[in-house]
């Protein structure tokens, strides 16, 4: 996986990718994504980083000094697996690496496409791939993820825990604008235009934050008269997602609601193993990762589904201007699903590495 930059002149045209597999099944699915990137012939130079629980347990380093600055300066993109390990119950390394990367590299737009590759993968009756092609644009740097707050009188009957929900006008404006721009500039898989941005919040209960989101949504929507707007409270949206998800197009929401509804949406796609994402800051080094976590209970068994990681690599290549390579990868994963060359979580019989290998071979044979 690791290739040193031996000759600066010869690699200068290649995109530089930092690869951080992390923990658990991250260490199994990311090598499959790397293999597939190579099979697609993408002009990239990949460098592996050992950030994760093993490293933390060995030397207590979560992110080395200047770690994020190095990623931002020396790499065009970062491909990440997952973080979380039962040996680190505080989860400090995951917070510092993953949430640290999102906030310190200001990767403010978490773009999580929700696509159904085959009708057989969806637990809902009568839903076809053409019915499920929406995207969740999740605010990725604010909300309750800032870890602001505190605990007072810990361990006493009077204990108080406060977790602040941060919503800045700048943060809300840029994510809502990102969603409208995404809607204006991206088509659905079938080539039809995207038409609608739906804002999801809980402004009936969380009035201060919700009020800001509502005002900003209205103001930015006025700049895009060709785009329809819609609003749903997050509870009603969850119901609609399992009742009939066909009407969703572009959904914009805050950090925590975005986290929750994208696991729900992953369920519609066949499970967490299928869901891919990008953590983007336009014009800067961005990060790409499957939506799932480190899944400790299935780690090390060669049964994890690598397609979420592989599809995240495809999103990364498209983002880096390699649309052809990205398309080859997506087509090969689609073919794998059609031919049931896949892992057991989605109804196949292959192990993680064989499923990845099948996709790589499919690409290489074209
Ligand atoms: P999880 O996503 O790891 O697993 C949830 C369920 O989905 C489990 O049943 C798991 O076996 C299954 N699953 C997930 N990915 C799969 C795959 N590729 N193939 C087949 N099955 C898959 O979420 P969790 O159990 O809530 O969290 C486990 C650890 O991962 C925790 O430490 C959590 O904090 C961490 N986590 C990390 C990230 C990340 O780094 N991006 C995301 C979510 C959770
Ligand atoms: C995700 C994960 C993370 C999040 C966790 C691991 C902190 O669930 O990427 O969806 O909540 O953002
Ligand atoms: Mn999540």
């Amino acid at each position: 996986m690791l290739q040193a930059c031996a000759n600066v002149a010869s690699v200068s045209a290649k995109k530089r990718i930092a690869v951080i597999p992390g923990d658990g099944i991250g260490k199994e699915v990311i090598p499959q994504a790397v293999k597939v990137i190579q099979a697609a012939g993408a002009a990239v130079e990949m460098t592996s980083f050992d950030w994760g629980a093993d490293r933390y347990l060995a030397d207590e380093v979560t992110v080395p000094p200047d770690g994020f600055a190095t990623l931002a300066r020396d790499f065009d993109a970062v491909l990440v697996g997952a973080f979380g390990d039962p040996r680190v119950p505080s989860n400090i390394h995951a917070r510092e690496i993953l949430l640290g990367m999102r906030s310190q590299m200001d990767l403010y737009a978490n773009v999580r496409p929700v696509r159904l590759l085959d009708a057989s993968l969806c637990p809902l009756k009568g839903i076809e791939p053409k019915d499920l092609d929406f995207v969740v644009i999740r605010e990725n740097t604010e909300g309750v993820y800032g870890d602001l707050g505190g605990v007072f009188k810990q361990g006493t009957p009077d204990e108080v825990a406060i977790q602040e929900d941060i919503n800045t006008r700048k943060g809300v404006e840029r994510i809502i604008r990102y969603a409208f721009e995404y809607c204006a500039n991206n088509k659905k898989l079938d080539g039809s235009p995207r038409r609608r941005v739906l804002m999801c919040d809980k402004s009936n209960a969380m009035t201060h934050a919700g009020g800001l989101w509502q005002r900003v949504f209205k103001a930015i929507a006025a700049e895009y008269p060709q785009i329809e707007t819609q609003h749903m409270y997050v509870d009603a949206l969850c119901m609609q997602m399992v009742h009939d998800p066909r009407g969703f197009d572009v959904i914009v929401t805050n950090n925590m609601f975005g986290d929750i509804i994208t696991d729900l949406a992953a369920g519609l796609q066949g499970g967490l193993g299928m869901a891919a994402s990008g953590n983007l800051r336009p014009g800067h080094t961005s990060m790409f990762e499957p939506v799932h976590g480190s899944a400790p209970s299935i780690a090390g068994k060669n049964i994890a589904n690598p397609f979420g990681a592989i599809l995240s690599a495809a999103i990364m290549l498209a983002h880096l201007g390699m649309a052809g390579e990205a398309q080859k990868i997506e087509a090969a994963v689609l073919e794998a699903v059609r031919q049931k060359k896949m892992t057991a979580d989605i109804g196949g019989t292959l192990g993680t590495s064989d499923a990845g290998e099948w996709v790589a071979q499919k690409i290489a044979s074209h």
Side-chain angles (χ1 to χ4, degrees):
M1 180 192 296
L2 193 148
Q3 290 182 337
C5 300
N7 179 333
V8 173
S10 75
V11 300
S12 59
K14 292 184 175 177
K15 296 290 183 186
R16 298 152 306 169
I17 298 174
V19 179
I20 315 180
D23 304 331
I25 63 169
K27 289 195 276 198
E28 297 171 70
V29 298
I30 290 300
Q32 303 313 313
V34 166
K35 191 160 71 182
V36 165
I37 290 169
Q38 285 164 340
V44 298
E45 191 77 41
M46 290 186 268
T47 306
S48 190
F49 287 78
D50 65 355
W51 304 0
D54 289 339
R55 168 85 187 266
Y56 173 68
L57 289 167
D59 62 12
E60 289 187 7
V61 171
T62 56
V63 180
D66 295 330
F68 295 137
T70 303
L71 294 181
R73 187 188 58 233
D74 296 344
F75 294 91
D76 298 296
V78 187
L79 180 64
V80 158
F83 302 95
D85 187 302
R87 295 170 300 165
V88 188
S90 69
N91 219 23
I92 181 174
H93 71 297
R95 272 207 318 281
E96 292 191 0
I97 299 170
L98 181 72
L99 301 183
M101 205 182 301
R102 290 176 183 166
S103 73
Q104 291 188 43
M105 293 174 72
D106 208 17
L107 308 175
Y108 68 85
N110 192 338
V111 178
R112 297 187 157 183
V114 180
R115 288 174 180 161
L116 180 62
L117 297 190
D118 191 84
S120 64
L121 298 185
C122 186
L124 306 184
K125 287 192 293 275
I127 297 294
E128 302 285 332
K130 68 171 170 40
D131 299 325
L132 203 66
D133 183 1
F134 66 89
V135 61
V136 176
I137 310 284
R138 166 189 179 189
E139 202 293 318
N140 216 21
T141 56
E142 301 193 341
V144 295
Y145 279 71
D147 212 24
L148 286 172
V151 179
F152 308 99
K153 301 183 181 174
Q154 192 169 342
T156 75
D158 296 325
E159 183 163 353
V160 178
I162 294 175
Q163 194 84 42
E164 299 287 2
D165 179 14
I166 307 301
N167 297 264
T168 67
R169 177 170 277 275
K170 173 184 156 191
V172 175
E173 256 176 25
R174 68 183 181 177
I175 195 66
I176 291 179
R177 186 174 298 288
Y178 190 96
F180 277 93
E181 284 292 316
Y182 187 97
C183 187
N185 296 312
N186 287 274
K187 292 187 167 34
K188 293 191 172 193
L189 275 184
D190 67 7
S192 65
R194 295 207 173 271
R195 299 180 189 286
R196 187 181 330 127
V197 178
L198 183 163
M199 186 175 75
C200 162
D201 67 19
K202 189 66 188 167
S203 51
N204 49 356
M206 303 168 77
T207 55
H208 307 302
L212 174 62
W213 280 75
Q214 291 279 343
R215 289 192 299 279
V216 171
F217 186 62
K218 218 173 259 178
I220 292 183
E223 297 177 31
Y224 297 84
Q226 79 282 16
I227 294 176
E228 288 172 38
T229 59
Q230 195 183 352
H231 168 258
M232 286 180 96
Y233 298 122
V234 63
D235 46 354
L237 178 134
C238 288
M239 190 284 297
Q240 186 65 14
M241 219 177 248
V242 295
H243 183 66
D244 184 0
R246 285 177 292 188
F248 292 119
D249 193 344
V250 178
I251 298 173
V252 63
T253 193
N254 72 17
N255 207 340
M256 188 169 70
F257 297 152
D259 177 46
I260 296 167
I261 67 174
T262 52
D263 264 34
L264 182 58
L268 302 176
Q269 295 167 268
L272 274 163
M274 296 302 292
S277 78
N279 297 256
L280 308 175
R281 179 182 176 201
H284 295 262
T285 304
S286 294
M287 184 266 275
F288 301 82
E289 54 167 350
V291 173
H292 65 72
S294 56
S297 66
I298 62 164
K301 297 180 176 167
N302 192 36
I303 58 176
N305 185 345
F307 290 171
I310 291 172
L311 292 169
S312 301
I315 296 176
M316 176 180 75
L317 294 182
H319 178 83
L320 293 174
M322 290 176 254
E325 289 84 346
Q327 229 236 317
K328 274 195 237 174
I329 294 173
E330 284 176 3
V333 172
L334 179 60
E335 194 53 32
V337 169
R338 287 192 176 141
Q339 295 194 33
K340 296 218 173 296
K341 304 295 184 191
M342 55 201 193
T343 46
D345 55 303
I346 50 170
T349 55
L350 297 187
T352 307
S353 48
D354 283 347
E357 185 62 32
W358 195 92
V359 171
Q361 292 283 341
K362 185 81 201 163
I363 294 166
S365 70
H366 267 84

